[in-house]
C-alpha cells in the first residue's frame, strides 16, 4: 500500500514516519535508495567512514513529507502492530514505466550521484535516466540550508520538465515554486496502477456523509476524504458538484481505494504540515468539548486553545464495560491529556483515561536521571532485563545491575510481569534509551545524585559502583556515564596491595570527591570519607621536605637516579642541589618502546641523565620525559598549550595515554588530549587496537576535527596522513635517533663491566658479518647457530633468510646481523647473498 507520510523522528538507523489516521511507520536505513545502500555496504566492508555517506539526520528532518510503501505489518513482542516502510523509488514508483512518463508529472527521486553540471536522480523507473540541472536545484538548496550541495540518498520532490526518447531521458526540476504549483492532470495519463500519493488534483464532490466525502478526480477516478481530513474551517459547507483541490494520501494496491485530504498544508507540494509546540505535549486539558462522536472510531474534541483533537475509542474510558456513549454528545465537556500528535492529520491525539492523565511519565523527555520509577518485568535477555515503565516506555537493566551482587541465574529471582522499583542511570530521549538499576543500595540511597562533572565539587559524598579494579586503583561510575578514579592510596586507610581482590565489578561504594576537572572529564575520588584524604596526609608529612619549587613545562634539567621502581625512575634534579624529587615513567625514557625497557634495565642508582624535559608539574611530583621527538616539538613550538589553539589539519607530536577497544587516547605536552578512533588508527584494517599501539608510545597525530562544546579532539594516526611531506628525511632521522640510543645503551653495558653475554651483545650491531656454525635445523625451517661472538646468546635465521642455501648441523658459514634483542639475548641473522654482498 502506498502512503504519503511525514517524518516525525530521525535516528541513526531509521526514520519514524507519521501516517494518516494516527498511524506510525518505520523506514530502516537500508530502505532509502540503492545508491545509499551501496555506500552503506561499502563503509561496512572498508571499516572506515566514507566522506560521501551522510547520516540520516544530515539529509532528513522532522516535518518533511515523503512517499512510502508498506513492506510489512507485523505484531511486535508487546502485541502492537509495527508497520515497516520503504521510500526506495524502485518500490514507490513501481507502477511507472518509461513510456508513461510525461511532462508536468510530480514524483519522488533520490540523488544517486553528484556531477559537475547537476545531479543524477534515481526515480526507480527501469530504462529511464533522470538528470537534475544545477540551476534547477539552487532555489531548493538555499531554502533547506543543508549545505552547498545535495547529498547522495537525499529525497526530492521532482517535477518532470522534459521527456526525451520515449522516457529514456528525463530532465527534472526541484525549484520550489514549480513543485508547489504542480497539479496532476488527465493529460499526464495517470492510471490506478501508477497513481502516487502526494499528487494534488482537482476533485469534484459527489456525496457528503457524516464520516466523510466521496469525490471524483482525473475524470474517471473516485476517492474518499474521511472526517479527519476535511478542512476544519469548511467542514459544514461542502456540497455536491463543488470543485476544489485535494491531495492523494493513500492508494490501496488491490482494492484501488484512494483516500485524499482537503487540508491546506497538503495542497501545495513541498510544504510541511503544522506541528505541535513541545510544551503542549503531555499537557492536561481541564475542559475539552466534544465536537462529534463516531461509534466505530472515537471522538473529535475541541481543546481550550481552539485546536482539534481526536481520542480513539479505547482511550475514552478505562474499560469497554465502563464506556457510556451518552457522555460524548456534542457539547459535552471532558478532562483529557495530549498523548501524541499526528502530523499527517494535523491533530492532537488525546486520552480520557484517568491512569493516563495522572501518569508520572508519558515520554522519555519526562524521565530524569536519578528518578525512581516503578515498572514491570517485560523480558529477560542475555544482556539484562527489559522493564516496561509505561505502555510506550521500556528500559534496560544491564546484567550488572540486576542486584547488589552478580546474578548467575536471574530467571530464578525475576519472572515476567513482576513489579520492580528501579532507579534511572541514564536517559537519552533522542535515542529513546533508558538504562535502569535494581541495586538496592543505589535505589534507596539518600545521597546526592552525581550525573555530570560540573556537580562534582570537592568534598561531595555520594554512591557509585565499581566498574574496574586494577593495580592502580578502582574506576567508579555514577549516573549519565560519569566516572572517576580512586587511586590506590585512597582505597583505604590501610594499604591495599591487590585492589582486584578487595573490590569487585558492580560493587556499590560510597565515595568522596577529591578533585574534578569538568572540561577534561577527569574526576579524582577517595573511599576514605574522613575530612582528610591520604593525599592531604602525605602532603602534610612531606611539607617540610619539599620546598616550593615550580618548573615550567619544556624546561630542561639534569637529573640523578635515586631509585628504580617497576614503572619508572625516581630522580633528583641537580639544578636544585638534589632537593627536588621528580619522576621519569619507564615509557618516557625513549621514543622507542623497546629502548625504554632496555634503558630502565641498564640504568642504576647514581647514574646522571642530562637534558631531561619537565613534562608536568601537577600533583605530588614533577614528571619528566626523555622522548626526543616530544622535546623537539616543545622546543620548536610545534605544540598547543590549550584547547583553543587546536586547529583541524595540525600535525602534533604526543604519546599514547590509553588503548581502548574503540580507539587510542593520545596526550600532548601541556595536557591536551584527543581520541584516534579505530578507523583512523592505521592504514591497515584494525581488529585489535592493542596489536597496533601500547601505552607510552610516541606518535605523530593529525587533528581531524574538534568539538568546542565538549572540548573533544578527534585524531588520525595513519602514517599516510601524518607525514609532513618529506617522509624519507623523517624516517632517516628516527632511525638515526634509534641507533644513537642503542650506542648509548652499549656504552652503559660496557661501563658496568657486565658478564660475557652482555659484552657479546655490545659488540653486535645490525649489518655486522659473523662466522657461525649451524647447531640445529627445526621442522619449520628455523636454524639455530653458535659461534665465538655468540657466547650465551641465541642466534636464529628463518627459512626465508637462508635464501637458496641448504644447511646441516655442524656446517660453518657466514651470516649478517639483522637485529639484536638485548632483553631476551636473541640475535636474528640472515644468510641471504644479497645482504652479505652489501657489506663494504
Amino acid at each position: 500500500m502506498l502512503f504519503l507520510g511525514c517524518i516525525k523522528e530521525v535516528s541513526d538507523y531509521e526514520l519514524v514516519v507519521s501516517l494518516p489516521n494516527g498511524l506510525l511507520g518505520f523506514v530502516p536505513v537500508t530502505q532509502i535508495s540503492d545508491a545509499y545502500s551501496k555506500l552503506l555496504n561499502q563503509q561496512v566492508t572498508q571499516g572506515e567512514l566514507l566522506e560521501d555517506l551522510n547520516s540520516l539526520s544530515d539529509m532528513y528532518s522532522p516535518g518533511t513529507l515523503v512517499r512510502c510503501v508498506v513492506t510489512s505489518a507485523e505484531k511486535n513482542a508487546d502485541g502492537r502492530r509495527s508497520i515497516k516502510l520503504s521510500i526506495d523509488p524502485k518500490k514507490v514508483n513501481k507502477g511507472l514505466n518509461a513510456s508513461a512518463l510525461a511532462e508536468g508529472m510530480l514524483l519522488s527521486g533520490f540523488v544517486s550521484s553528484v556531477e559537475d553540471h547537476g545531479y543524477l536522480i534515481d526515480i526507480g523507473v527501469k530504462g529511464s535516466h533522470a538528470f537534475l540541472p544545477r540551476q534547477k536545484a539552487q532555489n531548493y538548496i538555499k531554502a533547506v540550508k543543508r549545505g552547498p550541495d545535495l547529498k547522495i540518498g537525499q529525497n526530492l520532490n521532482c517535477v518532470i520538465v522534459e521527456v526525451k526518447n520515449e522516457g529514456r531521458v528525463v530532465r527534472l526540476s526541484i525549484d520550489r515554486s514549480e513543485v508547489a504549483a504542480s497539479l496532476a492532470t488527465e493529460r499526464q495519463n495517470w492510471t490506478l496502477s501508477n497513481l502516487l500519493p502526494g499528487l494534488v488534483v482537482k476533485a469534484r464532490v459527489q456525496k457528503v456523509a457524516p464520516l466523510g466525502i466521496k469525490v471524483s478526480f482525473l475524470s474517471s477516478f473516485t476517492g474518499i476524504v474521511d472526517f479527519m481530513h476535511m478542512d476544519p474551517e469548511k467542514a459544514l459547507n461542502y456540497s455536491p458538484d463543488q470543485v476544489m483541490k485535494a491531495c492523494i494520501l493513500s492508494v490501496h494496491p488491490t482494492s484501488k481505494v484512494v483516500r485524499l485530504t482537503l487540508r491546506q498544508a497538503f495542497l501545495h507540494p513541498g510544504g510541511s504540515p503544522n506541528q505541535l509546540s513541545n510544551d503542549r505535549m503531555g499537557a492536561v486539558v481541564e475542559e475539552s468539548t466534544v465536537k462529534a462522536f463516531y461509534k466505530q472510531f472515537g471522538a473529535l474534541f475541541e481543546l481550550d486553545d481552539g485546536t482539534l483533537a481526536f481520542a480513539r475509542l479505547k482511550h475514552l474510558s478505562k474499560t469497554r464495560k465502563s464506556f457510556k456513549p451518552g457522555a460524548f454528545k456534542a457539547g459535552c465537556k471532558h478532562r483529557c491529556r495530549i498523548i501524541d500528535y499526528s502530523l499527517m492529520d494535523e491533530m492532537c491525539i488525546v486520552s480520557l483515561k484517568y491512569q493516563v492523565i495522572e501518569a508520572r511519565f508519558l515520554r522519555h523527555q519526562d524521565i530524569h536521571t536519578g528518578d525512581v520509577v516503578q515498572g514491570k518485568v517485560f523480558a529477560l535477555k542475555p544482556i539484562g532485563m527489559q522493564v516496561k515503565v509505561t505502555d510506550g516506555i521500556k528500559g534496560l537493566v544491564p546484567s550488572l545491575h540486576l542486584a547488589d551482587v552478580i546474578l548467575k541465574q536471574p530467571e530464578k529471582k525475576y519472572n515476567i510481569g513482576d513489579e520492580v522499583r528501579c532507579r534511572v542511570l541514564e536517559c537519552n530521549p533522542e535515542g529513546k534509551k533508558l538504562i535502569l538499576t535494581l541495586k538496592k543500595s543505589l535505589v534507596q540511597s539518600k545521597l546526592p545524585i552525581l550525573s555530570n562533572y560540573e556537580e562534582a565539587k570537592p568534598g561531595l559524598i555520594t554512591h557509585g559502583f565499581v566498574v574496574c579494579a586494577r593495580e592502580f586503583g578502582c574506576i567508579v561510575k555514577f549516573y549519565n556515564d560519569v566516572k572517576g578514579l580512586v587511586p590506590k592510596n585512597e582505597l583505604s586507610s590501610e594499604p591495599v596491595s591487590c585492589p582486584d581482590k578487595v573490590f569487585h565489578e558492580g560493587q556499590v561504594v560510597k565515595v568522596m570527591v577529591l578533585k574534578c576537572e569538568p572540561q577534561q572529564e577527569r574526576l579524582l575520588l577517595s573511599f576514605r570519607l574522613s575530612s582528610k584524604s591520604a593525599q592531604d596526609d602525605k602532603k602534610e608529612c612531606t611539607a617540610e621536605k619539599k620546598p616550593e619549587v615550580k618548573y615550567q613545562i619544556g624546561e630542561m634539567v639534569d637529573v640523578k637516579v635515586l631509585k628504580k621502581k617497576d614503572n619508572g625512575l625516581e630522580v633528583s634534579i641537580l639544578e636544585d642541589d638534589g632537593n627536588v624529587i621528580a619522576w621519569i615513567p619507564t615509557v618516557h625514557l625513549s621514543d622507542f618502546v623497546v629502548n625504554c625497557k632496555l634503558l630502565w634495565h641498564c640504568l642504576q642508582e647514581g647514574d646522571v641523565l642530562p637534558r631531561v624535559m619537565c613534562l608536568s608539574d601537577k600533583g605530588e611530583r614533577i614528571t619528566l620525559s626523555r622522548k626526543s621527538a616530544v622535546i623537539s616539538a616543545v622546543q620548536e613550538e610545534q605544540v598547543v598549550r590549550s584547547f583553543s589553539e587546536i586547529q583541524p589539519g595540525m600535525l602534533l607530536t604526543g604519546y599514547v595515554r590509553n588503548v581502548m577497544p574503540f580507539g587510542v587516547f593520545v596526550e600532548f605536552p601541556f595536557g591536551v588530549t584527543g581520541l584516534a578512533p579505530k578507523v583512523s588508527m592505521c592504514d591497515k584494517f584494525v581488529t585489535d587496537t592493542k596489536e597496533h599501539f601500547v601505552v607510552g608510545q610516541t606518535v605523530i597525530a593529525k587533528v581531524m576535527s574538534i568539538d568546542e562544546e565538549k572540548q573533544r579532539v578527534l585524531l588520525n594516526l595513519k602514517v599516510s596522513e601524518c607525514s609532513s611531506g618529506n617522509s624519507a628525511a623523517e624516517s632517516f632521522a628516527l632511525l638515526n635517533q634509534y641507533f644513537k640510543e642503542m650506542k648509548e645503551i652499549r656504552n652503559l653495558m660496557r661501563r658496568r663491566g657486565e658478564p660475557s653475554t652482555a659484552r657479546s651483545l655490545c659488540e653486535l650491531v645490525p649489518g655486522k658479518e659473523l662466522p657461525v656454525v649451524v647447531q640445529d635445523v627445526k621442522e619449520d625451517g628455523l636454524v639455530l647457530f653458535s659461534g665465538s661472538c655468540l657466547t650465551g646468546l641465541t642466534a636464529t635465521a628463518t627459512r626465508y633468510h637462508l635464501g637458496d642455501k641448504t644447511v646441516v648441523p655442524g656446517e660453518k658459514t657466514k651470516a649478517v646481523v639483522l637485529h639484536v634483542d638485548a632483553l631476551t639475548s636473541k640475535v636474528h641473522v640472515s644468510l641471504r647473498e644479497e645482504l652479505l654482498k652489501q657489506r663494504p
Side-chain angles (χ1 to χ4, degrees):
M1 187 169 181
L2 288 168
F3 277 108
L4 181 66
C6 183
I7 295 173
K8 188 173 185 178
E9 296 172 19
V10 182
S11 69
D12 290 339
Y13 302 108
E14 69 179 7
L15 303 175
V16 181
V17 178
S18 170
L19 299 175
N21 303 111
L23 296 174
L24 272 184
F26 304 89
V27 181
V29 71
T30 53
Q31 291 294 330
I32 303 297
S33 69
D34 280 355
Y36 193 72
S37 295
K38 187 178 179 181
L39 284 176
L40 284 173
N41 289 330
Q42 192 177 335
Q43 179 166 291
V44 171
T45 304
Q46 293 183 2
E48 58 183 44
L49 297 175
L50 299 180
E51 285 186 19
D52 291 340
L53 183 61
N54 293 279
S55 66
L56 293 182
S57 57
D58 286 336
M59 300 187 293
Y60 297 94
S61 55
T64 306
L65 292 173
V66 291
R67 294 176 183 83
C68 43
V69 60
V70 177
T71 56
S72 69
E74 300 170 353
K75 285 190 177 181
N76 53 25
D78 57 358
R80 294 187 173 193
R81 192 173 290 277
S82 177
I83 302 173
K84 297 294 183 186
L85 305 169
S86 174
I87 57 174
D88 189 328
K90 279 187 171 58
K91 295 177 181 177
V92 173
N93 298 333
K94 187 179 178 182
L96 286 168
N97 55 52
S99 60
L101 298 177
E103 188 178 321
M105 276 186 167
L106 180 72
L107 67 165
S108 294
F110 287 77
V111 179
S112 62
S113 177
V114 180
E115 307 296 328
D116 290 341
H117 302 292
Y119 309 88
L120 294 181
I121 305 297
D122 180 6
I123 58 173
V125 177
K126 192 175 181 180
S128 183
H129 299 279
F131 183 72
L132 170 65
R134 259 182 205 280
Q135 65 268 26
K136 289 291 186 180
Q138 291 308 309
N139 168 293
Y140 174 85
I141 291 170
K142 287 178 183 177
V144 296
K145 297 177 181 176
R146 286 188 174 275
D149 230 333
L150 297 177
K151 300 173 176 68
I152 293 175
Q154 193 167 341
N155 176 281
L156 302 171
N157 243 335
C158 308
V159 175
I160 297 177
V161 294
E162 186 180 7
V163 179
K164 293 182 179 178
N165 299 334
E166 297 179 340
R168 287 193 289 274
V169 178
V170 177
R171 192 161 60 87
L172 306 172
S173 172
I174 57 170
D175 184 278
R176 299 184 79 211
S177 58
E178 291 182 39
V179 170
S182 65
L183 192 70
T185 62
E186 292 89 344
R187 193 167 54 85
Q188 292 166 6
N189 295 320
W190 292 101
T191 66
L192 276 173
S193 60
N194 64 22
L195 202 61
L196 292 172
L199 295 178
V200 176
V201 297
K202 286 279 185 70
R204 183 183 295 276
V205 177
Q206 287 189 336
K207 184 180 178 182
V208 180
L211 289 177
I213 303 171
K214 186 178 180 182
V215 298
S216 62
F217 62 96
L218 295 177
S219 299
S220 57
F221 303 152
T222 58
I224 298 167
V225 179
D226 65 39
F227 64 90
M228 293 180 79
H229 282 276
M230 293 188 285
D231 189 335
E233 295 179 8
K234 303 175 184 176
L236 302 174
N237 301 320
Y238 295 114
S239 58
D241 289 328
Q242 182 180 345
V243 177
M244 58 214 163
K245 276 186 177 183
C247 176
I248 297 172
L249 284 181
S250 64
V251 182
H252 198 283
T254 51
S255 66
K256 304 299 181 186
V257 172
V258 180
R259 294 187 176 273
L260 303 95
T261 181
L262 303 177
R263 289 183 168 272
Q264 289 297 316
F266 301 97
L267 302 184
H268 299 283
S272 296
N274 296 315
Q275 301 195 38
L276 183 71
S277 61
N278 284 331
D279 58 336
R280 288 288 283 172
M281 188 66 72
V284 175
V285 181
E286 295 299 331
E287 278 196 354
S288 59
T289 308
V290 177
K291 294 283 287 181
F293 173 66
Y294 307 94
K295 62 181 182 180
Q296 291 181 326
F297 306 105
L300 200 62
F301 294 86
E302 185 178 329
L303 303 182
D304 51 6
D305 61 354
T307 58
L308 293 179
F310 183 72
R312 296 184 181 90
L313 213 53
K314 68 176 183 178
H315 277 283
L316 293 177
S317 62
K318 186 175 182 180
T319 63
R320 283 189 177 184
K321 289 183 179 180
S322 62
F323 176 64
K324 297 175 182 177
F328 295 95
K329 292 179 180 177
C332 290
K333 306 280 186 184
H334 289 276
R335 186 170 182 248
C336 65
R337 186 175 188 181
I338 299 172
I339 60 172
D340 201 357
Y341 182 75
S342 174
L343 286 163
M344 283 306 295
D345 304 313
E346 292 187 308
M347 198 176 287
C348 294
I349 307 297
V350 298
S351 176
L352 278 63
K353 285 185 174 183
Y354 175 79
Q355 62 266 40
V356 174
I357 294 172
E358 298 299 324
R360 185 180 167 199
F361 307 117
L362 191 64
R363 305 174 299 155
H364 284 79
Q365 285 85 342
D366 303 326
I367 300 176
H368 301 99
T369 302
D371 283 346
V372 175
V373 301
Q374 292 286 137
K376 286 185 177 180
V377 177
F378 182 74
L380 285 163
K381 298 188 175 183
I383 59 169
M385 185 169 79
Q386 267 192 314
V387 173
K388 187 176 181 180
V389 180
T390 68
D391 280 344
I393 301 174
K394 293 189 192 72
L396 175 71
V397 181
S399 300
L400 189 68
H401 284 273
L402 291 173
D404 276 329
V405 295
I406 305 294
L407 296 183
K408 290 185 178 179
Q409 294 178 302
E411 63 278 4
K412 289 188 176 181
K413 182 176 174 68
Y414 299 106
N415 296 304
I416 306 300
D418 284 356
E419 291 270 354
V420 288
R421 189 164 176 260
C422 319
R423 189 158 227 156
V424 178
L425 282 176
E426 187 180 342
C427 184
N428 178 5
E430 289 76 22
K432 294 191 175 180
K433 177 184 175 185
L434 181 63
I435 307 296
L436 307 167
T437 181
L438 281 167
K439 290 182 179 292
K440 279 189 179 179
S441 306
L442 292 178
V443 176
Q444 297 174 358
S445 174
K446 302 296 182 185
L447 294 175
I449 299 296
L450 184 55
S451 58
N452 62 66
Y453 289 94
E454 285 72 19
E455 295 171 353
K457 305 298 181 187
L460 175 75
I461 295 176
T462 186
H463 277 122
F465 55 94
V466 176
V467 292
C468 175
R470 296 287 186 273
E471 66 279 355
F472 54 79
C474 288
I475 294 175
V476 176
K477 206 170 186 180
F478 304 95
Y479 298 83
N480 275 349
D481 207 30
V482 172
K483 46 185 172 285
L485 171 67
V486 182
K488 196 172 182 178
N489 60 329
E490 293 291 347
L491 294 175
S492 172
S493 55
E494 299 297 324
V496 177
S497 57
C498 297
D500 55 325
K501 293 183 180 178
V502 179
F503 302 96
H504 62 266
E505 187 182 10
Q507 182 178 346
V508 177
V509 289
K510 192 184 285 187
V511 296
M512 183 171 73
V513 176
L514 294 180
K515 183 182 177 184
C516 184
E517 297 175 22
Q519 290 186 336
Q520 281 75 38
E521 296 188 350
R522 291 177 185 167
L523 183 57
L524 192 65
L525 308 164
S526 176
F527 287 160
R528 297 174 45 160
L529 305 182
S530 59
S531 57
K532 289 183 181 179
S533 69
Q535 284 190 338
D536 295 330
D537 295 341
K538 192 169 181 179
K539 282 178 183 176
E540 284 184 18
C541 295
T542 59
E544 293 181 4
K545 296 179 184 177
K546 182 184 174 183
E548 284 295 319
V549 179
K550 282 284 181 183
Y551 284 87
Q552 298 296 319
I553 295 174
E555 191 172 341
M556 303 303 294
V557 295
D558 295 340
V559 298
K560 182 179 181 180
V561 179
L562 294 179
K563 188 184 290 186
K564 288 176 70 173
K565 295 188 176 181
D566 289 344
N567 57 345
L569 303 174
E570 192 174 277
V571 298
S572 62
I573 298 177
L574 297 178
E575 278 80 348
D576 284 289
D577 300 323
N579 291 324
V580 178
I581 308 303
W583 174 253
I584 307 179
T586 301
V587 294
H588 274 277
L589 287 172
S590 170
D591 283 318
F592 308 97
V593 176
V594 66
N595 285 2
C596 290
K597 296 174 183 176
L598 270 172
L599 279 164
W600 183 92
H601 178 78
C602 293
L603 288 167
Q604 292 183 1
E605 293 174 10
D607 285 344
V608 174
L609 295 174
R611 294 191 55 74
V612 184
M613 187 184 78
C614 177
L615 190 66
S616 168
D617 191 6
K618 292 180 181 177
E620 299 174 31
R621 58 189 175 188
I622 300 164
T623 302
L624 307 173
S625 177
R626 284 187 84 241
K627 287 181 177 289
S628 300
V630 176
I631 293 171
S632 296
V634 175
Q635 291 178 338
E636 293 169 14
E637 290 294 323
Q638 301 294 316
V639 289
V640 289
R641 296 174 184 271
S642 65
F643 183 86
S644 59
E645 295 181 13
I646 302 173
Q647 296 293 330
M650 279 184 166
L651 287 175
L652 299 172
T653 303
Y655 42 90
V656 175
R657 180 175 164 184
N658 203 355
V659 181
M660 304 297 285
F662 54 82
V664 170
F665 286 97
V666 178
E667 186 169 355
F668 304 102
F670 298 96
V672 176
T673 60
L675 170 67
K678 197 173 180 179
V679 295
S680 302
M681 282 174 49
C682 184
D683 288 303
K684 296 179 181 178
F685 182 76
V686 177
T687 304
D688 184 357
T689 52
K690 291 184 179 179
E691 290 180 357
H692 294 263
F693 291 93
V694 295
V695 173
Q697 183 175 341
T698 305
V699 293
I700 295 174
K702 185 176 184 179
V703 179
M704 299 304 292
S705 65
I706 55 175
D707 186 334
E708 293 185 12
E709 187 179 343
K710 295 182 179 178
Q711 297 266 305
R712 290 178 181 170
V713 185
L714 279 183
L715 306 170
N716 192 330
L717 296 179
K718 292 181 178 179
V719 174
S720 60
E721 296 283 340
C722 298
S723 172
S724 61
N726 194 351
S727 56
E730 290 174 355
S731 299
F732 279 118
L734 285 169
L735 201 57
N736 185 50
Q737 179 62 31
Y738 171 78
F739 286 126
K740 186 179 175 182
E741 288 184 7
M742 287 303 297
K743 186 177 180 181
E744 178 188 356
I745 291 167
R746 284 195 296 273
N747 289 337
L748 275 170
M749 294 173 103
R750 285 194 187 98
R751 287 205 306 270
R752 298 276 178 258
E754 295 277 2
S756 59
T757 302
R759 285 200 300 273
S760 299
L761 283 168
C762 294
E763 300 302 324
L764 296 175
V765 292
K768 184 172 182 177
E769 192 176 293
L770 304 173
V772 293
V773 179
V774 178
Q775 284 289 104
D776 192 13
V777 180
K778 302 291 185 183
E779 289 183 7
D780 60 358
L782 186 75
V783 180
L784 275 67
F785 299 94
S786 63
S788 57
C789 298
L790 300 172
T791 307
L793 305 177
T794 303
T796 61
T798 60
R799 178 178 288 169
Y800 170 81
H801 279 288
L802 296 179
D804 55 2
K805 294 179 182 177
T806 303
V807 294
V808 294
E811 182 180 338
K812 293 181 180 181
T813 185
K814 286 184 179 180
V816 63
V817 177
L818 296 175
H819 175 66
V820 180
D821 189 337
L823 284 176
T824 58
S825 298
K826 288 183 179 178
V827 182
H828 300 274
V829 299
S830 177
L831 274 63
R832 294 184 72 90
E833 286 297 332
E834 61 268 31
L835 293 177
L836 287 164
K837 285 177 183 177
Q838 287 182 8
R839 297 293 302 141

